[in-house]
Amino acid sequence: MASTNTSPTIPCEEKEPVVTDSVEQATASDLKSSTDKVQGNAANNHSIDTNFQAGVQKAEAITIAWSAKALIVAYIAIWLVYFAQGIVSGTSGALLPYVTSDFATHSLIPRTGVLSQVISGVTNLCTAKILDIFGRPHDFVLCVGLATVGLIMAASCNGVEAYAASQVFYTVGISGLGYCLSVFIADTSSLRHRGLM
């Protein structure tokens, strides 16, 4: 006869903890029975860790306070932002050779792209710190402003130098915007559902 080593089974239903105060008992049962819809099956204790920076605390407050309907509206707005970004990117990519042909310095055009990408990668560190200190909305507005200034500068440029500056502003703004939205999605979704977003 082979002996099987089985671990003790845990009952599906656990007994309520014995608490003398009725308010504490209600709080304990609420914490036990409620699940945080944003963070999967983790217990929702409705508290914000004060050890983090102000921007992170605000993000935790959003995670606790927003309903599922509000988050769905936010995700739809994020999709619209990415949709508009795709339209702008496609349109500017198609019209870029026509616009820059007037500069008569075609060899400098790819260098502006490389320069703007390098500066954009470096400024993501600043974007991350702005997210932590000031909060997600402040960084979002800053990045939208930078991208808008870049598009306005690109529309009114008369030479390669102005075009390079406009590309730097636009690329820094767009990459910061994407980073900000990615952090917002990470703040408001559980790890197991994040791949679907």
Side-chain angles (χ1 to χ4, degrees):
M1 223 195 265
S3 67
T4 57
N5 233 352
T6 59
S7 62
T9 58
I10 299 172
C12 293
E13 294 182 10
E14 295 180 11
K15 295 182 180 179
E16 290 289 320
V18 178
V19 181
T20 57
D21 189 16
S22 63
V23 174
E24 290 177 6
Q25 185 177 8
T27 305
S29 65
D30 288 343
L31 288 176
K32 183 178 178 183
S33 64
S34 70
T35 58
D36 189 359
K37 291 182 172 110
V38 175
Q39 298 296 333
N41 290 329
N44 184 358
N45 60 4
H46 298 288
S47 66
I48 299 171
D49 192 354
T50 57
N51 293 329
F52 294 127
Q53 294 173 335
V56 178
Q57 290 178 12
K58 291 175 188 177
E60 284 184 2
I62 287 172
T63 302
I64 291 171
W66 280 19
S67 66
K69 185 177 181 181
L71 284 174
I72 289 171
V73 170
Y75 289 150
I76 290 172
I78 289 171
W79 183 85
L80 290 173
V81 168
Y82 279 126
F83 181 74
Q85 180 182 351
I87 289 176
V88 168
S89 175
T91 305
S92 64
L95 296 176
L96 185 64
Y98 173 74
V99 172
T100 58
S101 65
D102 204 24
F103 300 153
T105 52
H106 293 290
S107 63
L108 295 178
I109 302 299
R111 292 181 187 164
T112 62
V114 171
L115 177 71
S116 65
Q117 290 294 330
V118 168
I119 292 174
S120 169
V122 171
T123 57
N124 275 342
L125 299 172
C126 297
T127 301
K129 198 62 173 174
I130 290 170
L131 283 170
D132 285 345
I133 294 175
F134 297 110
R136 279 62 170 155
H138 297 90
D139 185 62
F140 182 80
V141 169
L142 175 69
C143 291
V144 167
L146 286 173
T148 304
V149 166
L151 286 174
I152 291 170
M153 287 174 64
S156 63
C157 68
N158 293 326
V160 171
E161 297 83 8
Y163 173 74
S166 72
Q167 284 302 105
V168 168
F169 275 98
Y170 176 74
T171 308
V172 166
I174 286 298
S175 82
L177 185 68
Y179 185 76
C180 180
L181 293 178
S182 297
V183 168
F184 178 80
I185 290 171
D187 286 342
T188 58
S189 64
S190 68
L191 185 58
R192 70 178 150 190
H193 297 127
R194 202 167 296 153
L196 299 173
M197 296 184 188

